[in-house]
Amino acid sequence: MDTYEDLGMGNGHTGHGHTGNSHMGNGHTGNGHPWFGGHRLRPAASADTIRQMLRHELRDTGWPHQRLLPAAPMAIPRAAYAEVFRVSVALIELLRRTALETGPTTADRLTAYDMPATEDRLWVRDPFIEERYADSVVRPDLVIGPNGPQFLEFNVSGALGGVVETQSRLAVWRRLHADAEGRTPFRSPSPFAVRAEMFRSLSAELALAPRVAVVGSARVIGVQRRYFEMEADYYNSHGLSARFFEPEELHEAWDCAPHLRHPIGLRNFTIPDWLEVGLDTAPVQDALDNGCLLVGTQTSTFMHSKLTMGLLSEGRPWMTEGERRLVERYLPWTRILSERKTDREGRQVDLLPFVLANRELLVLKAGLGESGKQVVIGREVDQAGWESAVGAAVEAGTSVVQEFVRPQTCRVALIADGSDEPHDVDVAPVLGPLVFGGRPAGLFCRFFGDGSAGIVSVRGGTSSSDNVMVAI
């Protein structure tokens, strides 16, 4: 059985979880870091078959054309896979507690975070329900640094990228790699299956009918109607009643006969995306006011803000020693940027002078931002550019600085447009574990197919690719 390919132990590491300089594309064997393991799955069909299947599965969703596609799922050891989700769930709970303790009420938190006025809307009337379901849909972003996983940010929103993509990639890999009994040589949860289970639990907790509204809009840039309908179709074929609603249709979720209502649902949009294309959020507020609960709730924006990560990294008075150690191990040093003293490697430093003098060690990030648009990597700008960006961020008061993590590499087989055979590349992946209702729901992964590292946004760069990471 040649399902697995042995990559051997790559050069550039000691075998003890630490690695030296791992050069991409230098012809060495094995993965660039032992965390990724020493095996990978072989391609299970011809390059053309794989390419056609991957493209067909994501057709008509708005997903951009990718010149480089994966030849097989990315495989990591079961222990590494488990670590990602175990730590994700623990950090999400700490993040939630940190966000909520910034103020006893929503109004207090809006002030503490200096939230833009556009985000002060779409609140659920019951504050406990509003807070309870803020973290229903989360995707942290992490890279594998020299010492293992490092969580760079937390995307907390019902409108996460990677869900439909992971579902689609998995569907292809399961068809290609399954044996006659339907068994695959890898393990991964299905995002839609876990989300369906989340909605079943939600309807049971609230004693509501398991009828799900998927709320979004195909008028948002980069998304088509099938993107939302795929999820609704899945629910309808797996024991839930579901429907995709554009905003102007949403009154039909509550202004109807009781047995036809959709009392729970997915808030698969962001306020900025809707405002960008002139969509009104008032129908969503009407639905919330008339008993529809759409998750994740607006409180998710506080968790999504990188300011919360800065507070958590600095440590909260209520944290246990075990929680502090978890944060120190898995979060890179992150601080809310202002003129003050703070702890750095066990000593007190003046934060602003330290930041200005150490741009090569640091990354500057706005509290709220999407697709890496509000991120400045210190080593990629000159000193004048860094000082200008830092000055503007201090004035705004809603940014963090974070220690730069050098991402480690793993070896993948990719299929280029027009090619008959896969080729190998060492890539530096950004891992996106999907966590729905506290449950692991699949591991989305993005990378630059040319082997470069940096801010990876599939919608933002022509050379970026995506895949799903599975356990073997």
Side-chain angles (χ1 to χ4, degrees):
M1 185 75 174
D2 59 353
T3 304
Y4 303 112
E5 188 175 2
D6 188 349
L7 287 167
M9 294 292 277
N11 70 356
H13 66 69
T14 63
H16 297 290
H18 298 277
T19 156
N21 293 324
S22 176
H23 299 287
M24 300 173 210
N26 64 358
H28 70 261
T29 58
N31 280 322
H33 195 285
W35 188 90
F36 293 108
H39 293 85
R40 71 176 182 184
L41 288 156
R42 293 184 188 277
S46 71
D48 195 49
T49 297
I50 295 169
R51 183 164 43 223
Q52 286 184 29
M53 289 177 73
L54 289 172
R55 294 224 162 108
H56 178 76
E57 201 63 38
L58 272 171
R59 70 193 181 284
D60 302 327
T61 60
W63 203 235
H65 176 87
Q66 292 175 2
R67 189 174 51 82
L68 296 167
L69 290 170
M74 295 171 77
I76 56 174
R78 277 184 300 170
Y81 196 91
E83 178 186 24
V84 164
F85 284 101
R86 182 176 70 249
V87 175
S88 292
V89 170
L91 290 175
I92 288 164
E93 177 52 36
L94 294 175
L95 202 72
R96 178 177 180 276
R97 188 170 173 188
T98 300
L100 292 178
E101 66 138 11
T102 58
T105 68
T106 291
D108 294 321
R109 290 174 210 132
L110 286 166
T111 301
Y113 280 85
D114 196 16
M115 276 287 172
T118 50
E119 293 292 336
D120 185 11
R121 62 179 82 187
L122 307 187
W123 305 101
V124 176
R125 278 182 176 164
D126 183 335
F128 177 76
I129 297 290
E130 171 65 50
E131 294 167 9
R132 170 81 175 80
Y133 297 107
D135 60 352
S136 293
V137 185
V138 187
R139 192 202 75 219
D141 283 343
L142 63 134
V143 296
I144 305 309
N147 299 317
Q150 291 286 291
F151 286 71
L152 305 182
E153 64 182 55
F154 293 81
N155 302 285
V156 190
S157 162
L160 296 178
V163 180
V164 171
E165 298 78 11
T166 298
Q167 180 77 20
S168 299
R169 300 289 188 228
L170 270 174
V172 171
W173 302 139
R174 285 187 173 130
R175 283 203 294 275
L176 286 174
H177 291 266
D179 64 14
E181 278 77 43
R183 293 171 302 198
T184 57
F186 59 82
R187 289 184 187 176
S188 171
S190 150
F192 285 177
V194 177
R195 196 127 83 180
E197 197 52 47
M198 177 187 83
F199 281 122
R200 285 191 191 94
S201 295
L202 190 60
S203 66
E205 281 177 32
L206 298 169
L208 295 169
R211 294 172 56 80
V212 180
V214 176
V215 182
S217 178
R219 284 163 287 178
V220 167
I221 295 162
V223 187
Q224 294 181 35
R225 191 174 178 91
R226 184 171 177 267
Y227 181 87
F228 304 103
E229 289 181 338
M230 281 173 69
E231 186 158 2
D233 290 348
Y234 180 93
Y235 296 156
N236 282 319
S237 62
H238 289 80
L240 289 169
S241 181
R243 179 183 157 190
F244 165 52
F245 291 89
E246 286 273 359
E248 63 274 11
E249 302 165 338
L250 194 50
H251 65 94
E252 296 172 26
W254 57 268
D255 188 13
C256 56
H259 70 285
L260 297 177
R261 288 176 188 157
H262 291 74
I264 56 175
L266 180 69
R267 189 177 139 166
N268 201 340
F269 66 91
T270 69
I271 293 171
D273 281 348
W274 275 21
L275 296 182
E276 185 181 11
V277 293
L279 285 171
D280 187 4
T281 60
V284 180
Q285 190 68 64
D286 288 343
L288 296 173
D289 292 345
N290 284 279
C292 292
L293 174 62
L294 303 176
V295 297
T297 59
Q298 181 63 15
T299 296
S300 65
T301 309
F302 300 123
M303 292 180 63
H304 182 78
S305 170
K306 295 171 190 69
L307 302 185
T308 312
M309 232 185 123
L311 293 168
L312 183 57
S313 173
E314 199 151 358
R316 312 315 301 151
W318 44 262
M319 286 167 67
T320 68
E321 185 60 29
E323 289 166 343
R324 288 179 192 279
R325 289 186 179 176
L326 181 88
V327 168
E328 285 168 8
R329 178 175 173 187
Y330 290 103
L331 285 194
W333 182 87
T334 307
R335 292 294 184 270
I336 297 175
L337 184 60
S338 63
E339 296 189 49
R340 63 192 179 94
K341 288 188 180 296
T342 190
D343 178 75
R344 167 75 183 175
E345 295 178 343
R347 62 189 178 90
Q348 288 286 299
V349 296
D350 285 313
L351 182 56
L352 197 51
F354 173 81
V355 168
L356 291 170
N358 290 280
R359 69 177 168 82
E360 297 218 339
L361 298 178
L362 299 169
V363 180
L364 178 67
K365 300 181 176 184
L368 294 179
E370 307 294 332
S371 304
K373 293 173 192 164
Q374 292 81 13
V375 175
V376 181
I377 299 173
R379 60 185 61 202
E380 293 181 4
V381 296
D382 61 19
Q383 186 64 23
W386 179 248
E387 289 177 7
S388 172
V390 169
V394 170
E395 198 170 324
T398 54
S399 294
V400 299
V401 285
Q402 187 175 81
E403 185 153 13
F404 175 80
V405 179
R406 183 182 291 279
Q408 305 299 298
T409 62
C410 63
R411 170 143 314 172
V412 298
L414 299 179
I415 298 168
D417 277 359
S419 170
D420 294 332
E421 293 292 333
H423 66 280
D424 278 2
V425 184
D426 292 321
V427 301
V430 176
L431 283 59
L434 302 168
V435 182
F436 303 152
R439 302 179 183 93
L443 188 46
F444 183 54
C445 199
R446 330 194 283 293
F447 52 86
F448 286 118
D450 61 5
S452 59
I455 299 162
V456 186
S457 167
V458 174
R459 296 190 188 280
T462 51
S463 67
S464 55
S465 302
D466 72 281
N467 200 357
V468 58
M469 219 169 229
V470 298
I472 58 170

